[in-house]
Amino acid sequence: MQQLALFVTDFIALLGIYLIITFSLRLQLGYAGIANFGLVLAFTGGAYTVGWLPIRLGMWFFGINSGLSSDMIWNNTIIISRINPHLQSKPFMAIVIFILTLIVAGLVGALLGFLSGYPAARLRGDYLAIALLALGEVLAIIGGNFSPLVGGALGVQVPDVWNWVGDFRFLTVSLLIFFFSLAVWGYMRFLEKSPMSRTLRAIRDNRDAASSLGKPVTSIRLKTLVTGGVLCSISGALYAFYTTGVTAGAYGMFDWTFLPWVMAIFGGVHSNLGVLLGTFLFVLVRKLITFYKYSLGFLPFSPVWLQYLLTGGVVLTVLLIKPSGLITEKPSYTISKEKLKQIASRVLNGS
Amino acid sequence: MTTLIDAIIYSSLLSMMGFGLTMVRRTTGVWNVAQAGLVSIGAYCIFSGVNFLGGAPYIYLPLAFVVGAAVNALLFWFFVNPLRKRGSSFFILLVATIAFNIVLTGIINIYADFLQNVFSFSSKNFLMTQLDLHFLGESAIFFVSLVSLILLTVILFLFLNYTRVGLALRGSIEDPTLSKVMGVQINWIYLLSWAIAGGTAGFAGGLLPMRFQCNPGIGGSLIAVMFSVSILGGVGEIYGPFLGGWLVGFAQIYGINLLARAFGPWVLSYKQLLPMLILVLALLFTPEGLSGFDWTGKLRALITEEGEAR
């Protein structure tokens, strides 16, 4: 029973994390046609922000011995052990640290989106995709080698800003992450009906035509990359807060770029519901493989690799059978269908 | 001296790997990310041959070529070609090669685990320098990599210029519609180009363990470098990656040493960033690649400007 509860809690958290990333991809690829293969860049940026900022905020807010700051990485465990009791007794301060860090993570994501997008937004199609693919691993290389950032290959612990919740800590964080992802979904639904979605689709479908109609194509593409970067970065930050640890090696291309791509393509990147469905199914399968990993111990190889076969195999099958994904793009209505019907009946009745 | 030899070996291997990327991009318009998996497959072909059958590693290079060619041909025939025929967008094709690479990554890792757990081979991390032959006081890999690259260039030149199939391949690259009208079986020609590209990647991967530490992810760790080679060399010219490979290879090995001398040894840790930087700079300033750059035109414009100024 306890194992099932753990499974569900972790599933909800991972679903929320991946939903934010896949919705970011929905925005960039589904609406604007930007094939961002560098999602991991902003995700890592968000996670690094959590690895760097909250511990410093905690030391400052709670007046922890500044002598320890001479080597924040070496003294990381000691500092965390001094900050965490303060966070447990002062929930308000814990939430302030959480919110401040998320805001900074969002700004870092925007900056990374801008930096990678500024040169890249001028490139077309596959060259843009290749540039973003190559740039994706940049932060992982820097973080792995520059230890003052997040402790290099060994990583750092993060203050647990939710330890004041007690036994329900993991459930609370999971639900919080899930609510965040629902908020992003709400934003995507709002965007669907807005004029901006039509502008983005016009740029996606015919960049030259949109440009000839006065749409600032490069600027809009850049803004889309920046917004996508903010979403991915917040997702990375939430993930780091959830796991209370940041290690440079944990943010690989497979988990945080290719897998979200697979989820979105599988469900249908041109549909919010499709993205939701694809993400749900893949996170579930992934969790099940991890959960039953030890039951497959008789295999002469690590069962983790089955995930790779399954992921790649499913995508290839979907691309061949239904390249647009499970749910295809539908026309968006600026006003509700009921209102449309009312107008239509009024026109038909001649009133 | 060792640095120079390392740079020559590395550049030759990069040129061969980049050649595969350029070849399929030029013929079918697809960036093949599965090239990464093919390089790893090549390395494991050599490793398996030596461990199961013994002998010098080089005798298994044809096996690495054939397996690489077969796997890439499979990818083209069963996945890329059907998608191309439907007019799928570039990112769908790119995703297909990424998905195929994910499958290859899974298979290679399962195979490496299997070799380790069942046969007790240290297959998750291996280097085969101790098995290398020596010639004129130098490791054979130096001569093999260099001669292979020269041979590949010569064979490719002869093939593309003096054989019917080669001419058909060139024709298909230049004008696919006209080639079809002239009766060229364009799909078979494309399949051939994918097979040659995959074979070259497998071959280059097979040479890697003779000098560099290999693991199941070796191809994946080189994919950004391969893209740099291909884009810097220029996808418009089939020989472009040979230029790109040497530039990127030397820049990565010598460039990082120069930077370390200027800024300190800490720079050496960031060696992997250099190809990405080169790639971004290449994309920004010369997206058509160095071989596609209008050198004579620019030179002429410069001379004319100077003449007018006088």
Side-chain angles (χ1 to χ4, degrees):
Chain A
M1 194 62 196
Q2 199 187 356
Q3 276 209 323
L4 183 71
L6 275 173
F7 178 89
V8 173
T9 310
D10 203 39
F11 172 72
I12 294 170
L14 266 184
L15 179 65
I17 297 288
Y18 271 110
L19 271 178
I20 301 173
I21 308 176
T22 48
F23 276 129
S24 160
L25 186 61
R26 156 97 177 105
L27 173 71
Q28 296 174 78
L29 180 66
Y31 282 118
I34 302 170
N36 190 350
F37 282 99
L39 298 171
V40 68
L41 182 74
F43 184 86
T44 312
Y48 283 3
T49 308
V50 176
W52 191 87
L53 186 63
I55 192 168
R56 283 158 178 85
L57 286 177
M59 284 182 82
W60 183 44
F61 287 168
F62 305 124
I64 309 278
N65 180 9
S66 58
L68 289 168
S69 64
S70 58
D71 191 340
M72 297 287 284
I73 303 301
W74 182 256
N75 298 324
N76 175 262
T77 318
I78 303 169
I79 301 170
I80 295 292
S81 66
R82 295 198 186 166
I83 292 176
N84 277 350
H86 285 285
L87 293 171
Q88 203 163 11
S89 56
K90 295 174 182 119
F92 177 73
M93 292 310 288
I95 291 170
V96 168
I97 290 176
F98 175 73
I99 292 170
L100 278 178
T101 310
L102 276 195
I103 292 169
V104 175
L107 292 172
V108 167
L111 184 71
L112 288 169
F114 180 79
L115 288 178
S116 65
Y118 187 77
R122 281 150 183 78
L123 297 169
R124 274 176 190 261
D126 50 354
Y127 282 96
L128 167 69
I130 297 303
L132 292 170
L133 183 76
L135 286 171
E137 296 269 21
V138 166
L139 270 188
I141 296 170
I142 295 174
N145 289 295
F146 183 61
S147 53
L149 187 60
V150 287
L154 293 174
V156 286
Q157 271 188 59
V158 172
D160 188 358
V161 290
W162 296 100
N163 62 357
W164 53 272
V165 184
D167 291 343
F168 297 103
R169 187 256 174 210
F170 276 101
L171 184 65
T172 310
V173 185
S174 296
L175 290 174
L176 184 87
I177 292 171
F178 191 66
F179 285 128
F180 259 95
S181 69
L182 287 182
V184 178
W185 187 28
Y187 167 72
M188 297 305 287
R189 280 182 63 84
F190 165 75
L191 187 73
E192 180 78 28
K193 292 183 188 302
S194 75
M196 180 48 84
S197 84
R198 290 186 291 282
T199 306
L200 288 172
R201 272 182 276 197
I203 292 172
R204 178 194 71 191
D205 294 338
N206 195 328
R207 201 167 149 173
D208 296 328
S211 187
S212 71
L213 289 168
K215 299 292 175 194
V217 173
T218 305
S219 156
I220 290 176
R221 277 162 69 85
L222 188 59
K223 280 176 194 162
T224 311
L225 278 164
V226 168
T227 314
V230 171
L231 292 178
C232 283
S233 184
I234 285 177
S235 176
L238 289 171
Y239 182 66
F241 270 125
Y242 177 67
T243 57
T244 62
V246 175
T247 316
Y251 310 107
M253 208 70 162
F254 175 78
D255 285 328
W256 306 112
T257 293
F258 293 157
L259 214 53
W261 262 82
V262 166
M263 292 167 179
I265 294 284
F266 177 72
V269 75
H270 298 303
S271 152
N272 288 337
L273 200 61
V275 168
L276 189 70
L277 186 66
T279 311
F280 178 84
L281 288 174
F282 264 91
V283 172
L284 183 65
V285 170
R286 193 180 149 90
K287 273 303 304 166
L288 285 172
I289 289 178
T290 317
F291 195 68
Y292 287 108
K293 190 164 76 172
Y294 297 105
S295 318
L296 299 168
F298 60 90
L299 293 171
F301 54 83
S302 168
V304 169
W305 303 116
L306 291 175
Q307 210 184 140
Y308 282 65
L309 299 189
L310 188 79
T311 308
V314 166
V315 177
L316 287 170
T317 314
V318 168
L319 288 181
L320 285 177
I321 298 169
K322 211 167 182 295
S324 54
L326 295 180
I327 301 175
T328 49
E329 186 168 33
K330 289 182 180 67
S332 67
Y333 299 98
T334 45
I335 44 178
S336 67
K337 278 184 187 171
E338 286 72 33
K339 250 188 176 172
L340 264 180
K341 277 179 193 166
Q342 281 174 12
I343 295 167
S345 67
R346 246 185 285 153
V347 171
L348 289 171
N349 296 333
S351 58
Chain B
M1 190 62 185
T2 319
T3 315
L4 177 68
I5 287 169
D6 272 342
I8 292 173
I9 297 170
Y10 186 56
S11 305
S12 304
L13 299 184
L14 282 186
S15 296
M16 286 188 251
M17 293 175 204
F19 163 74
L21 271 185
T22 304
M23 180 89 163
V24 297
R25 174 64 175 73
R26 186 99 174 86
T27 51
T28 48
V30 182
W31 283 112
N32 182 15
V33 178
Q35 183 89 354
L38 299 173
V39 168
S40 301
I41 284 178
Y44 275 88
C45 281
I46 302 295
F47 180 82
S48 307
V50 169
N51 280 287
F52 283 116
L53 304 169
Y58 296 111
I59 59 174
Y60 300 105
L61 283 174
L63 175 74
F65 184 91
V66 170
V67 175
V71 173
N72 215 27
L74 191 86
L75 165 62
F76 175 75
W77 199 253
F78 290 104
F79 302 106
V80 173
N81 206 29
L83 290 171
R84 280 185 79 246
K85 280 181 180 166
R86 269 187 234 158
S88 301
S89 61
F90 80 87
F91 80 80
I92 290 286
L93 294 166
L94 193 62
V95 169
T97 68
I98 288 174
F100 194 77
N101 192 50
I102 291 173
V103 174
L104 288 184
T105 308
I107 292 172
I108 296 163
N109 276 286
I110 286 173
Y111 181 65
D113 278 1
F114 182 75
L115 290 182
Q116 186 167 280
N117 297 336
V118 177
F119 297 100
S120 305
F121 296 158
S122 58
S123 54
K124 301 289 273 185
N125 236 322
F126 59 94
L127 181 67
M128 299 170 87
T129 39
Q130 77 284 3
L131 296 173
D132 201 0
L133 308 169
H134 284 81
F135 184 66
L136 296 172
E138 193 48 63
S139 304
I141 179 67
F142 170 65
F143 301 102
V144 174
S145 58
L146 197 58
V147 170
S148 303
L149 181 66
I150 296 168
L151 272 180
L152 177 71
T153 318
V154 172
I155 292 171
L156 194 69
F157 177 78
L158 295 174
F159 172 70
L160 290 175
N161 290 291
Y162 298 101
T163 66
R164 282 175 66 86
V165 181
L167 288 170
L169 179 61
R170 271 178 64 200
S172 313
I173 292 170
E174 301 300 332
D175 196 332
T177 320
L178 193 62
S179 299
K180 264 187 202 168
V181 172
M182 298 296 285
V184 174
Q185 294 290 322
I186 207 156
N187 282 330
W188 289 104
I189 292 292
Y190 287 157
L191 180 70
L192 178 73
S193 73
W194 276 70
I196 294 172
T200 319
F203 188 90
L207 290 172
L208 269 175
M210 306 311 298
R211 195 76 173 193
F212 306 99
Q213 191 85 30
C214 287
N215 55 52
I218 182 71
S221 66
L222 288 170
I223 192 72
V225 192
M226 290 185 236
F227 278 122
S228 305
V229 168
S230 186
I231 289 171
L232 189 67
V235 289
E237 177 54 62
I238 206 112
Y239 303 104
F242 300 127
L243 174 67
W246 281 70
L247 278 172
V248 173
F250 270 77
Q252 214 180 339
I253 289 184
Y254 273 102
I256 203 77
N257 284 333
L258 286 174
L259 287 174
R261 252 181 245 167
F263 299 104
W266 61 270
V267 178
L268 292 169
S269 313
Y270 300 94
K271 191 177 160 184
Q272 289 163 285
L273 286 179
L274 210 59
M276 294 169 191
L277 189 70
I278 294 171
L279 175 65
V280 172
L281 292 175
L283 281 171
L284 281 178
F285 297 108
T286 167
E288 71 279 18
L290 292 177
S291 61
F293 194 75
D294 183 16
W295 294 103
T296 45
K298 288 279 170 194
L299 199 67
R300 206 175 295 138
L302 203 71
I303 293 165
T304 320
E305 271 173 29
E306 270 183 19
E308 278 171 5
R310 273 179 210 161

